[in-house]
Amino acid sequence: MEDAIKLPDVCETMADVRAGVDATDRALMELLDLRFGYMRAAARIKADREAVRDEGRKAEVINNARTDAEERGLPASELADIWDQLVECSIAYELHRWDSTRRD
């Protein structure tokens, strides 16, 4: 049976750290799966393909991530760049889903 994952402040070995990172990566993937589920819902709900790309909403999401990162003392600019890529990937995914559900 797998040992319990230790929180960062109580890690004693690199094995502890690596186990925590791996578990966190799996949890992030689960959250991304949920996020992309919302993209599938958006593709189903939006009647107009042009509504998929919303630059105002994109800027809002990235700014929210930047602000949250700043408040947590994380590298805000770099995380905003990651969020920009995440949003672009999400838009591409949503466009694909939108198109695939409306084929003749």
PDB file of all heavy atoms in Angstrom, residues 71-96:
ATOM      1  N   GLU A  71      -1.155  37.037  -5.155  1.00  0.00           N
ATOM      2  CA  GLU A  71      -1.601  36.951  -3.761  1.00  0.00           C
ATOM      3  C   GLU A  71      -0.983  35.768  -3.035  1.00  0.00           C
ATOM      4  O   GLU A  71      -0.800  35.799  -1.821  1.00  0.00           O
ATOM      5  CB  GLU A  71      -3.129  36.879  -3.701  1.00  0.00           C
ATOM      6  CG  GLU A  71      -3.797  38.185  -4.100  1.00  0.00           C
ATOM      7  CD  GLU A  71      -5.303  38.081  -4.246  1.00  0.00           C
ATOM      8  OE1 GLU A  71      -5.865  36.958  -4.114  1.00  0.00           O
ATOM      9  OE2 GLU A  71      -5.927  39.123  -4.524  1.00  0.00           O
ATOM     10  N   ARG A  72      -0.626  34.727  -3.778  1.00  0.00           N
ATOM     11  CA  ARG A  72      -0.023  33.534  -3.182  1.00  0.00           C
ATOM     12  C   ARG A  72       1.515  33.601  -3.166  1.00  0.00           C
ATOM     13  O   ARG A  72       2.169  32.687  -2.685  1.00  0.00           O
ATOM     14  CB  ARG A  72      -0.461  32.284  -3.952  1.00  0.00           C
ATOM     15  CG  ARG A  72      -1.951  32.000  -3.839  1.00  0.00           C
ATOM     16  CD  ARG A  72      -2.348  30.891  -4.810  1.00  0.00           C
ATOM     17  NE  ARG A  72      -3.766  30.669  -4.824  1.00  0.00           N
ATOM     18  CZ  ARG A  72      -4.414  29.824  -4.028  1.00  0.00           C
ATOM     19  NH1 ARG A  72      -3.739  29.113  -3.139  1.00  0.00           N
ATOM     20  NH2 ARG A  72      -5.715  29.682  -4.109  1.00  0.00           N
ATOM     21  N   GLY A  73       2.067  34.668  -3.716  1.00  0.00           N
ATOM     22  CA  GLY A  73       3.513  34.793  -3.774  1.00  0.00           C
ATOM     23  C   GLY A  73       4.160  33.884  -4.801  1.00  0.00           C
ATOM     24  O   GLY A  73       5.321  33.492  -4.670  1.00  0.00           O
ATOM     25  N   LEU A  74       3.406  33.551  -5.837  1.00  0.00           N
ATOM     26  CA  LEU A  74       3.903  32.684  -6.912  1.00  0.00           C
ATOM     27  C   LEU A  74       4.362  33.539  -8.085  1.00  0.00           C
ATOM     28  O   LEU A  74       4.008  34.723  -8.164  1.00  0.00           O
ATOM     29  CB  LEU A  74       2.791  31.718  -7.337  1.00  0.00           C
ATOM     30  CG  LEU A  74       2.267  30.794  -6.236  1.00  0.00           C
ATOM     31  CD1 LEU A  74       1.065  30.002  -6.738  1.00  0.00           C
ATOM     32  CD2 LEU A  74       3.361  29.880  -5.737  1.00  0.00           C
ATOM     33  N   PRO A  75       5.107  32.974  -9.026  1.00  0.00           N
ATOM     34  CA  PRO A  75       5.590  33.742 -10.185  1.00  0.00           C
ATOM     35  C   PRO A  75       4.432  34.104 -11.126  1.00  0.00           C
ATOM     36  O   PRO A  75       4.075  33.347 -12.035  1.00  0.00           O
ATOM     37  CB  PRO A  75       6.616  32.816 -10.839  1.00  0.00           C
ATOM     38  CG  PRO A  75       6.265  31.442 -10.356  1.00  0.00           C
ATOM     39  CD  PRO A  75       5.625  31.610  -9.011  1.00  0.00           C
ATOM     40  N   ALA A  76       3.855  35.270 -10.894  1.00  0.00           N
ATOM     41  CA  ALA A  76       2.604  35.664 -11.547  1.00  0.00           C
ATOM     42  C   ALA A  76       2.717  35.785 -13.062  1.00  0.00           C
ATOM     43  O   ALA A  76       1.827  35.327 -13.788  1.00  0.00           O
ATOM     44  CB  ALA A  76       2.100  36.975 -10.938  1.00  0.00           C
ATOM     45  N   SER A  77       3.769  36.381 -13.548  1.00  0.00           N
ATOM     46  CA  SER A  77       3.911  36.576 -14.990  1.00  0.00           C
ATOM     47  C   SER A  77       4.015  35.232 -15.713  1.00  0.00           C
ATOM     48  O   SER A  77       3.350  35.012 -16.730  1.00  0.00           O
ATOM     49  CB  SER A  77       5.138  37.434 -15.282  1.00  0.00           C
ATOM     50  OG  SER A  77       5.278  37.623 -16.666  1.00  0.00           O
ATOM     51  N   GLU A  78       4.817  34.339 -15.170  1.00  0.00           N
ATOM     52  CA  GLU A  78       4.992  33.023 -15.793  1.00  0.00           C
ATOM     53  C   GLU A  78       3.700  32.208 -15.732  1.00  0.00           C
ATOM     54  O   GLU A  78       3.349  31.520 -16.700  1.00  0.00           O
ATOM     55  CB  GLU A  78       6.133  32.258 -15.115  1.00  0.00           C
ATOM     56  CG  GLU A  78       7.500  32.860 -15.359  1.00  0.00           C
ATOM     57  CD  GLU A  78       7.864  34.026 -14.424  1.00  0.00           C
ATOM     58  OE1 GLU A  78       6.984  34.501 -13.662  1.00  0.00           O
ATOM     59  OE2 GLU A  78       9.028  34.458 -14.461  1.00  0.00           O
ATOM     60  N   LEU A  79       2.992  32.296 -14.617  1.00  0.00           N
ATOM     61  CA  LEU A  79       1.725  31.565 -14.513  1.00  0.00           C
ATOM     62  C   LEU A  79       0.663  32.174 -15.419  1.00  0.00           C
ATOM     63  O   LEU A  79      -0.164  31.446 -15.989  1.00  0.00           O
ATOM     64  CB  LEU A  79       1.263  31.493 -13.061  1.00  0.00           C
ATOM     65  CG  LEU A  79       2.116  30.548 -12.211  1.00  0.00           C
ATOM     66  CD1 LEU A  79       1.783  30.689 -10.731  1.00  0.00           C
ATOM     67  CD2 LEU A  79       1.944  29.107 -12.666  1.00  0.00           C
ATOM     68  N   ALA A  80       0.695  33.487 -15.605  1.00  0.00           N
ATOM     69  CA  ALA A  80      -0.227  34.113 -16.560  1.00  0.00           C
ATOM     70  C   ALA A  80       0.053  33.592 -17.969  1.00  0.00           C
ATOM     71  O   ALA A  80      -0.887  33.364 -18.750  1.00  0.00           O
ATOM     72  CB  ALA A  80      -0.110  35.630 -16.498  1.00  0.00           C
ATOM     73  N   ASP A  81       1.331  33.380 -18.293  1.00  0.00           N
ATOM     74  CA  ASP A  81       1.680  32.806 -19.603  1.00  0.00           C
ATOM     75  C   ASP A  81       1.117  31.388 -19.744  1.00  0.00           C
ATOM     76  O   ASP A  81       0.609  31.014 -20.804  1.00  0.00           O
ATOM     77  CB  ASP A  81       3.200  32.773 -19.799  1.00  0.00           C
ATOM     78  CG  ASP A  81       3.802  34.154 -19.985  1.00  0.00           C
ATOM     79  OD1 ASP A  81       3.055  35.119 -20.276  1.00  0.00           O
ATOM     80  OD2 ASP A  81       5.037  34.271 -19.820  1.00  0.00           O
ATOM     81  N   ILE A  82       1.220  30.607 -18.674  1.00  0.00           N
ATOM     82  CA  ILE A  82       0.655  29.251 -18.699  1.00  0.00           C
ATOM     83  C   ILE A  82      -0.852  29.328 -18.892  1.00  0.00           C
ATOM     84  O   ILE A  82      -1.433  28.562 -19.671  1.00  0.00           O
ATOM     85  CB  ILE A  82       1.036  28.477 -17.424  1.00  0.00           C
ATOM     86  CG1 ILE A  82       2.529  28.162 -17.421  1.00  0.00           C
ATOM     87  CG2 ILE A  82       0.195  27.201 -17.282  1.00  0.00           C
ATOM     88  CD1 ILE A  82       3.054  27.599 -16.114  1.00  0.00           C
ATOM     89  N   TRP A  83      -1.501  30.257 -18.205  1.00  0.00           N
ATOM     90  CA  TRP A  83      -2.956  30.398 -18.339  1.00  0.00           C
ATOM     91  C   TRP A  83      -3.329  30.841 -19.746  1.00  0.00           C
ATOM     92  O   TRP A  83      -4.352  30.402 -20.280  1.00  0.00           O
ATOM     93  CB  TRP A  83      -3.520  31.346 -17.280  1.00  0.00           C
ATOM     94  CG  TRP A  83      -4.359  30.593 -16.311  1.00  0.00           C
ATOM     95  CD1 TRP A  83      -5.738  30.576 -16.260  1.00  0.00           C
ATOM     96  CD2 TRP A  83      -3.915  29.722 -15.267  1.00  0.00           C
ATOM     97  NE1 TRP A  83      -6.150  29.740 -15.248  1.00  0.00           N
ATOM     98  CE2 TRP A  83      -5.055  29.207 -14.626  1.00  0.00           C
ATOM     99  CE3 TRP A  83      -2.669  29.319 -14.811  1.00  0.00           C
ATOM    100  CZ2 TRP A  83      -4.981  28.329 -13.556  1.00  0.00           C
ATOM    101  CZ3 TRP A  83      -2.589  28.451 -13.748  1.00  0.00           C
ATOM    102  CH2 TRP A  83      -3.740  27.964 -13.140  1.00  0.00           C
ATOM    103  N   ASP A  84      -2.502  31.683 -20.364  1.00  0.00           N
ATOM    104  CA  ASP A  84      -2.757  32.076 -21.748  1.00  0.00           C
ATOM    105  C   ASP A  84      -2.754  30.839 -22.644  1.00  0.00           C
ATOM    106  O   ASP A  84      -3.644  30.657 -23.479  1.00  0.00           O
ATOM    107  CB  ASP A  84      -1.704  33.089 -22.211  1.00  0.00           C
ATOM    108  CG  ASP A  84      -1.955  33.565 -23.623  1.00  0.00           C
ATOM    109  OD1 ASP A  84      -2.991  34.230 -23.851  1.00  0.00           O
ATOM    110  OD2 ASP A  84      -1.119  33.267 -24.501  1.00  0.00           O
ATOM    111  N   GLN A  85      -1.772  29.972 -22.446  1.00  0.00           N
ATOM    112  CA  GLN A  85      -1.716  28.726 -23.231  1.00  0.00           C
ATOM    113  C   GLN A  85      -2.905  27.830 -22.913  1.00  0.00           C
ATOM    114  O   GLN A  85      -3.474  27.204 -23.811  1.00  0.00           O
ATOM    115  CB  GLN A  85      -0.412  27.993 -22.963  1.00  0.00           C
ATOM    116  CG  GLN A  85       0.804  28.699 -23.523  1.00  0.00           C
ATOM    117  CD  GLN A  85       2.088  27.931 -23.244  1.00  0.00           C
ATOM    118  OE1 GLN A  85       2.204  27.207 -22.268  1.00  0.00           O
ATOM    119  NE2 GLN A  85       3.060  28.102 -24.121  1.00  0.00           N
ATOM    120  N   LEU A  86      -3.284  27.752 -21.639  1.00  0.00           N
ATOM    121  CA  LEU A  86      -4.433  26.936 -21.243  1.00  0.00           C
ATOM    122  C   LEU A  86      -5.705  27.435 -21.912  1.00  0.00           C
ATOM    123  O   LEU A  86      -6.502  26.650 -22.443  1.00  0.00           O
ATOM    124  CB  LEU A  86      -4.590  26.939 -19.716  1.00  0.00           C
ATOM    125  CG  LEU A  86      -5.832  26.244 -19.162  1.00  0.00           C
ATOM    126  CD1 LEU A  86      -5.862  24.766 -19.536  1.00  0.00           C
ATOM    127  CD2 LEU A  86      -5.889  26.430 -17.649  1.00  0.00           C
ATOM    128  N   VAL A  87      -5.901  28.749 -21.908  1.00  0.00           N
ATOM    129  CA  VAL A  87      -7.112  29.305 -22.518  1.00  0.00           C
ATOM    130  C   VAL A  87      -7.098  29.076 -24.022  1.00  0.00           C
ATOM    131  O   VAL A  87      -8.127  28.700 -24.605  1.00  0.00           O
ATOM    132  CB  VAL A  87      -7.272  30.796 -22.155  1.00  0.00           C
ATOM    133  CG1 VAL A  87      -8.415  31.423 -22.933  1.00  0.00           C
ATOM    134  CG2 VAL A  87      -7.506  30.962 -20.653  1.00  0.00           C
ATOM    135  N   GLU A  88      -5.960  29.266 -24.671  1.00  0.00           N
ATOM    136  CA  GLU A  88      -5.888  29.016 -26.114  1.00  0.00           C
ATOM    137  C   GLU A  88      -6.175  27.547 -26.431  1.00  0.00           C
ATOM    138  O   GLU A  88      -6.880  27.242 -27.391  1.00  0.00           O
ATOM    139  CB  GLU A  88      -4.530  29.445 -26.676  1.00  0.00           C
ATOM    140  CG  GLU A  88      -4.404  30.937 -26.869  1.00  0.00           C
ATOM    141  CD  GLU A  88      -5.433  31.520 -27.830  1.00  0.00           C
ATOM    142  OE1 GLU A  88      -5.731  30.897 -28.870  1.00  0.00           O
ATOM    143  OE2 GLU A  88      -5.950  32.606 -27.520  1.00  0.00           O
ATOM    144  N   CYS A  89      -5.633  26.651 -25.638  1.00  0.00           N
ATOM    145  CA  CYS A  89      -5.905  25.224 -25.811  1.00  0.00           C
ATOM    146  C   CYS A  89      -7.390  24.937 -25.603  1.00  0.00           C
ATOM    147  O   CYS A  89      -7.998  24.161 -26.341  1.00  0.00           O
ATOM    148  CB  CYS A  89      -5.049  24.434 -24.834  1.00  0.00           C
ATOM    149  SG  CYS A  89      -5.252  22.648 -24.948  1.00  0.00           S
ATOM    150  N   SER A  90      -7.974  25.579 -24.613  1.00  0.00           N
ATOM    151  CA  SER A  90      -9.401  25.403 -24.327  1.00  0.00           C
ATOM    152  C   SER A  90     -10.263  25.898 -25.475  1.00  0.00           C
ATOM    153  O   SER A  90     -11.259  25.266 -25.839  1.00  0.00           O
ATOM    154  CB  SER A  90      -9.773  26.146 -23.038  1.00  0.00           C
ATOM    155  OG  SER A  90      -9.075  25.629 -21.935  1.00  0.00           O
ATOM    156  N   ILE A  91      -9.883  27.036 -26.055  1.00  0.00           N
ATOM    157  CA  ILE A  91     -10.633  27.585 -27.191  1.00  0.00           C
ATOM    158  C   ILE A  91     -10.547  26.623 -28.373  1.00  0.00           C
ATOM    159  O   ILE A  91     -11.561  26.324 -29.019  1.00  0.00           O
ATOM    160  CB  ILE A  91     -10.106  28.988 -27.566  1.00  0.00           C
ATOM    161  CG1 ILE A  91     -10.471  29.994 -26.470  1.00  0.00           C
ATOM    162  CG2 ILE A  91     -10.654  29.434 -28.924  1.00  0.00           C
ATOM    163  CD1 ILE A  91      -9.754  31.336 -26.593  1.00  0.00           C
ATOM    164  N   ALA A  92      -9.358  26.124 -28.663  1.00  0.00           N
ATOM    165  CA  ALA A  92      -9.201  25.177 -29.771  1.00  0.00           C
ATOM    166  C   ALA A  92     -10.034  23.924 -29.536  1.00  0.00           C
ATOM    167  O   ALA A  92     -10.690  23.411 -30.457  1.00  0.00           O
ATOM    168  CB  ALA A  92      -7.722  24.822 -29.951  1.00  0.00           C
ATOM    169  N   TYR A  93     -10.019  23.434 -28.304  1.00  0.00           N
ATOM    170  CA  TYR A  93     -10.799  22.247 -27.950  1.00  0.00           C
ATOM    171  C   TYR A  93     -12.289  22.522 -28.115  1.00  0.00           C
ATOM    172  O   TYR A  93     -13.024  21.709 -28.685  1.00  0.00           O
ATOM    173  CB  TYR A  93     -10.475  21.850 -26.510  1.00  0.00           C
ATOM    174  CG  TYR A  93     -11.192  20.632 -26.009  1.00  0.00           C
ATOM    175  CD1 TYR A  93     -10.782  19.354 -26.366  1.00  0.00           C
ATOM    176  CD2 TYR A  93     -12.276  20.749 -25.142  1.00  0.00           C
ATOM    177  CE1 TYR A  93     -11.432  18.229 -25.891  1.00  0.00           C
ATOM    178  CE2 TYR A  93     -12.941  19.626 -24.667  1.00  0.00           C
ATOM    179  CZ  TYR A  93     -12.521  18.379 -25.037  1.00  0.00           C
ATOM    180  OH  TYR A  93     -13.169  17.262 -24.558  1.00  0.00           O
ATOM    181  N   GLU A  94     -12.724  23.677 -27.619  1.00  0.00           N
ATOM    182  CA  GLU A  94     -14.147  24.024 -27.727  1.00  0.00           C
ATOM    183  C   GLU A  94     -14.565  24.179 -29.182  1.00  0.00           C
ATOM    184  O   GLU A  94     -15.656  23.732 -29.577  1.00  0.00           O
ATOM    185  CB  GLU A  94     -14.427  25.313 -26.946  1.00  0.00           C
ATOM    186  CG  GLU A  94     -15.893  25.670 -26.897  1.00  0.00           C
ATOM    187  CD  GLU A  94     -16.177  26.948 -26.139  1.00  0.00           C
ATOM    188  OE1 GLU A  94     -15.365  27.358 -25.276  1.00  0.00           O
ATOM    189  OE2 GLU A  94     -17.234  27.550 -26.415  1.00  0.00           O
ATOM    190  N   LEU A  95     -13.723  24.811 -30.003  1.00  0.00           N
ATOM    191  CA  LEU A  95     -14.045  24.934 -31.428  1.00  0.00           C
ATOM    192  C   LEU A  95     -14.171  23.562 -32.083  1.00  0.00           C
ATOM    193  O   LEU A  95     -15.102  23.330 -32.870  1.00  0.00           O
ATOM    194  CB  LEU A  95     -12.963  25.754 -32.143  1.00  0.00           C
ATOM    195  CG  LEU A  95     -13.035  27.260 -31.934  1.00  0.00           C
ATOM    196  CD1 LEU A  95     -11.762  27.918 -32.445  1.00  0.00           C
ATOM    197  CD2 LEU A  95     -14.268  27.852 -32.595  1.00  0.00           C
ATOM    198  N   HIS A  96     -13.251  22.660 -31.758  1.00  0.00           N
ATOM    199  CA  HIS A  96     -13.329  21.301 -32.303  1.00  0.00           C
ATOM    200  C   HIS A  96     -14.636  20.628 -31.875  1.00  0.00           C
ATOM    201  O   HIS A  96     -15.315  20.010 -32.695  1.00  0.00           O
ATOM    202  CB  HIS A  96     -12.115  20.486 -31.846  1.00  0.00           C
ATOM    203  CG  HIS A  96     -12.190  19.053 -32.230  1.00  0.00           C
ATOM    204  ND1 HIS A  96     -11.958  18.615 -33.509  1.00  0.00           N
ATOM    205  CD2 HIS A  96     -12.507  17.956 -31.503  1.00  0.00           C
ATOM    206  CE1 HIS A  96     -12.122  17.303 -33.557  1.00  0.00           C
ATOM    207  NE2 HIS A  96     -12.450  16.876 -32.351  1.00  0.00           N
TER     208      HIS A  96
END
